[in-house]
Each structure stands twice: as C-alpha cells, then as structure tokens.
Amino acid sequence: MSKITAAITAVGGYVPDYVLSNQILETMVDTSDEWITARTGIKERRILKDKDKGTSYLAIQAAKNLLQKSNLDPKEIDLVIMSTATPDMPVAATGAYVATQIGADNAFSYDLMAACSSFLFGMSTAASYIETGKYKKVLLIGADKMSSIIDYKDRTTCIIFGDGAGAVLFEPNSEGLGFQDEILRTDGNGRESLKIDAGGSLLPASTETVANNQHTVFQDGKTVFKFAVTRMADVSEKILERNNLTGEDIQWLVPHQANNRIIDATSKRMNLPDEKVMKNIYKYGNTTSATLPLCLWDYEKKLKKGDKLVFAAFGGGFSWGAIYLTWAYNPK
Ligand code: UT7
C-alpha cells in the first residue's frame, strides 16, 4: 500500500488596508527610510487599525478567501489549526472562534504557538493528521495582529512587524506530492532574547507591569540575528543534503520574512539565485505566523505541480526549522 502524503491544495490570504510606511515611522520614532531599508528590506507594513478587531478577524478573512477561491464547503473541514502568537484572548482558543465564524461546524480547532515558527510547526502537525489517515481536510491558518503587542515608541521593534493572515488546506495526495521531510528545532535558552515579559503565568498583568511597559515585545535584535542567520541556513542546507538535492533541484525557497539579510544568507547557503526566493517583506514586514502562507498567497500563480519547495523559519523561543514539500497543483 502506498503511503498517503499530505499536500497543500488551496491557499488564501488577507492583509488590512492601512499602510504604515517608513516615511510615517520617521515621524513617530528616531529612524529613517534609509536605515530600515538597508538593515531589514522593509518599506511598509499593514496595520489593522480597528480597535475592536483582533487576530481572529484577520484569520477569518484569510480563511474566507481560501474557501471562496477553492469553492470548498466549510462543513467538510475536519480540523482548523490556528497558528498565532497573538490570540484574541489568553484562554479561549482563537481557532475555535474562527472555525465557527467561517461555518466549519464539523471541525474542532485549537491554537498552536511557537512565535515566528508557529506556521512551520503547524505544517508538520497538519500534515501528520493527514498522513495517518485520521482526517481528510485540515485548514492551517497563520495570523497575527502584531500591532497589538508592539510599542510604537521603540524604534528597534516597531519598524519590523506588521499584521496579516494566510491559510492553506492540507488534503491527502495519492501521487506522493506534498509534505516530504522536516527538520524542526527549539532551544529554550533563547527565550530571554525575544519575549513579552508580562501577562503570562510567570508575571501576571498588574498596574506595575503596565506602568513598567512590560506588555510589549522586547527583542535583543543582535543576538536573535546571530542565531537566525546561522540556524535557518543550517537546517535548510541539511534538508537538501538529506534528500539528495542541490539548489538546482529546488524551484522555491519560502523563507520567514524577518530580515532580508537572513533570507539572503539562507538562499546563499542553498546555492539559490534570487529568482527562486519568495520575498514580500518589503510590503508586509514581519507578520510572524503569517509570513509563510502570505508568500504562497503572493506567489501561488507561479507555482507548478511537482515544484520542489523548502520552507524555513526562525523565531522566539528560540524555535526554527525547515520543511521540504512538493507542490501539488498548477495555477488555476
Ligand atoms: O522573526 C523573529 C526573529 N527575529 C529576527 O530574525 C530579527 C533579527 N534581528 C534583526 O533583524 C536585526 O538585528 C534588527 C533589524 C532588529 C536590527 O538590525 P542590526 O543591524 O542588528 O542593528 P543593531 O541592533 O546592531 O543596531 C545598530 C545601530 C544601533 O546604534 P549604535 O548603538 O550603533 O549607535 C541602534 O541603536 O542602529 C540603531 N538602531 C536604529 N537606528 C535607526 C536600532 N534601531 C534603529 C532604527 N532606526 N529603527
């Protein structure tokens, strides 16, 4: 009996309308378009301005876009995995609300959190459910309203992050296409370098934590950069070796969009020319859990059946990894 593989069969995405450009940021903090462009590659990011809307809103729009594009009846979905670092609320799973709002009434749902690796790790989880034969339609959403946890007075973080959401559907494939291999890693020693201090069980919210500004993202950029640039490249190179592939065999690198320089270091190590690297960091910034599916959303029309893709990410935790997947359909 041939093994069931788990293929991506549909893609959706959503970014809010409001554009926060480098020029606007120049009026908010001591920075410049030149510095941000040279150090990160970011020109603008999208921000969800509505105060009464959370990450679920972004996720629902991305999921609805996927449903509409693929003509899928949401009642056929078995499971909704919601990858996010910014859930609507601390206890109730955001995915449960999203699944109900999109009409996935026969699905169960939960959130998966691994900072910027949330979607990558979610791909592994979603694919495993399909490979075991347990479920037939798994919707994986990556969504983050990063603007809800960013201090717009801190120039070291506010220039980087943006809001957005992307979604993919995993289904069984009988031709061996889809998920092929993964190398996933974490190192808990890294948690002090990229974190929000308060609001969790270690340091619950209090008037003091609010006064001390401990509810927004802190990043030791230099340290995170140093680890990201080597770890992401290491696993990407290793996954090629392990599958007897070289850069020439790969059609696309789908990298986490945290910094142009990290992406370039990874593609260089894989011997990939720029044309084979998905990049949209210049227009969305770092959308955390949404970077990988938003790349697929932007590049979907260029992807052909049988194309070999390597996904790679690095994030808080630390967490990182690479996934090798073959594409299962031609542009529709
Ligand atoms: O997605 C999750 C994983 N996250 C990442 O992968 C992010 C990894 N880190 C990075 O991408 C980079 O470290 C940053 C983009 C965050 C920063 O770039 P950098 O080249 O590492 O800059 P730096 O932190 O070493 O700062 C260089 C200088 C400093 O000034 P001094 O000390 O040399 O006088 C900073 O104060 O640039 C200054 N600086 C800024 N200047 C203008 C820091 N932020 C800014 C800014 N505008 N926004």
Side-chain angles (χ1 to χ4, degrees):
M1 207 178 83
S2 65
K3 186 177 172 275
I4 303 170
T5 48
I8 292 177
T9 57
V11 174
Y14 174 76
V15 287
D17 293 335
Y18 180 79
V19 176
L20 178 59
S21 65
N22 289 352
Q23 286 70 27
I24 298 173
L25 280 167
E26 282 175 351
T27 69
M28 296 163 64
V29 288
D30 180 13
T31 192
S32 65
D33 172 45
E34 198 188 352
W35 191 97
I36 301 170
T37 307
R39 300 283 178 134
T40 69
I42 303 168
K43 297 300 261 182
E44 52 191 46
R45 31 343 261 130
R46 300 300 185 94
I47 302 294
L48 181 59
K49 280 286 193 183
D50 315 50
K51 290 232 171 345
D52 59 342
K53 292 190 171 93
T55 294
S56 62
Y57 176 80
L58 302 166
I60 290 165
Q61 304 312 309
K64 282 185 175 169
N65 177 245
L66 180 148
L67 291 172
Q68 178 252 320
K69 277 171 64 188
S70 60
N71 248 328
L72 174 71
D73 178 355
K75 293 192 171 37
E76 288 180 36
I77 299 171
D78 301 303
L79 163 63
V80 177
I81 301 175
M82 174 79 200
S83 294
T84 186
T86 53
D88 279 7
M89 299 171 183
V91 175
T94 302
Y97 180 74
V98 171
T100 299
Q101 291 300 313
I102 64 168
D105 300 335
N106 297 313
F108 74 105
S109 177
Y110 56 85
D111 295 354
L112 191 154
M113 211 291 257
C116 290
S117 304
S118 299
F119 190 84
L120 190 83
F121 290 6
M123 287 176 70
S124 168
T125 311
S128 301
Y129 278 117
I130 299 288
E131 287 163 0
T132 59
K134 203 167 185 180
Y135 301 117
K136 297 267 183 289
K137 287 186 178 11
V138 178
L139 182 67
L140 172 64
I141 306 173
D144 270 306
K145 185 184 173 185
M146 293 305 292
S147 61
S148 67
I149 54 168
I150 293 301
D151 175 1
Y152 284 93
K153 291 191 192 73
D154 177 1
R155 69 175 182 170
T156 69
T157 51
C158 74
I159 56 126
I160 297 171
F161 295 97
D163 301 339
V168 301
L169 184 71
F170 274 94
E171 290 186 274
N173 184 282
S174 54
E175 298 174 274
L177 297 168
F179 201 99
Q180 304 294 326
D181 196 13
E182 67 181 27
I183 301 174
L184 307 179
R185 296 281 181 270
T186 52
D187 176 359
N189 291 317
R191 84 168 179 179
E192 293 305 316
S193 302
L194 178 46
K195 61 176 178 177
I196 295 177
D197 269 321
S201 57
L202 192 60
L203 185 59
S206 67
T207 48
E208 252 175 32
T209 60
V210 172
N212 293 340
N213 192 23
Q214 288 174 291
H215 290 274
T216 51
V217 170
F218 162 82
Q219 176 171 246
D220 170 2
K222 256 191 176 48
T223 302
V224 179
F225 185 90
K226 204 176 80 192
F227 276 86
V229 86
T230 52
R231 299 296 192 272
M232 211 164 110
D234 285 349
V235 287
S236 303
E237 188 181 28
K238 202 163 163 197
I239 207 155
L240 290 188
E241 276 171 25
R242 205 158 82 173
N243 290 278
N244 296 315
L245 298 166
T246 68
E248 282 188 13
D249 302 310
I250 299 297
Q251 278 69 45
W252 294 102
L253 170 65
V254 191
H256 175 50
Q257 309 282 306
N259 187 313
N260 243 345
R261 292 179 289 151
I262 300 172
I263 298 172
D264 290 346
T266 304
S267 59
K268 202 167 162 210
R269 191 87 84 77
M270 296 169 74
N271 281 319
L272 288 180
D274 278 353
E275 312 86 75
K276 290 186 172 185
V277 183
M278 294 191 189
K279 272 190 194 176
N280 53 21
I281 187 170
Y282 65 95
K283 57 177 176 173
Y284 303 146
N286 181 349
T287 54
T288 302
S289 309
T291 58
L292 300 181
L294 280 176
C295 279
L296 294 179
W297 189 51
D298 277 350
Y299 283 81
E300 189 185 15
K301 286 198 167 64
K302 296 189 178 187
L303 294 170
K304 294 187 205 68
K305 187 172 172 179
D307 277 359
K308 295 181 173 66
L309 279 61
V310 171
F311 294 74
F314 185 92
F318 293 138
S319 58
W320 69 100
I323 284 174
Y324 164 41
L325 175 145
T326 51
W327 200 246
Y329 59 94
N330 285 315
K332 286 163 187 164

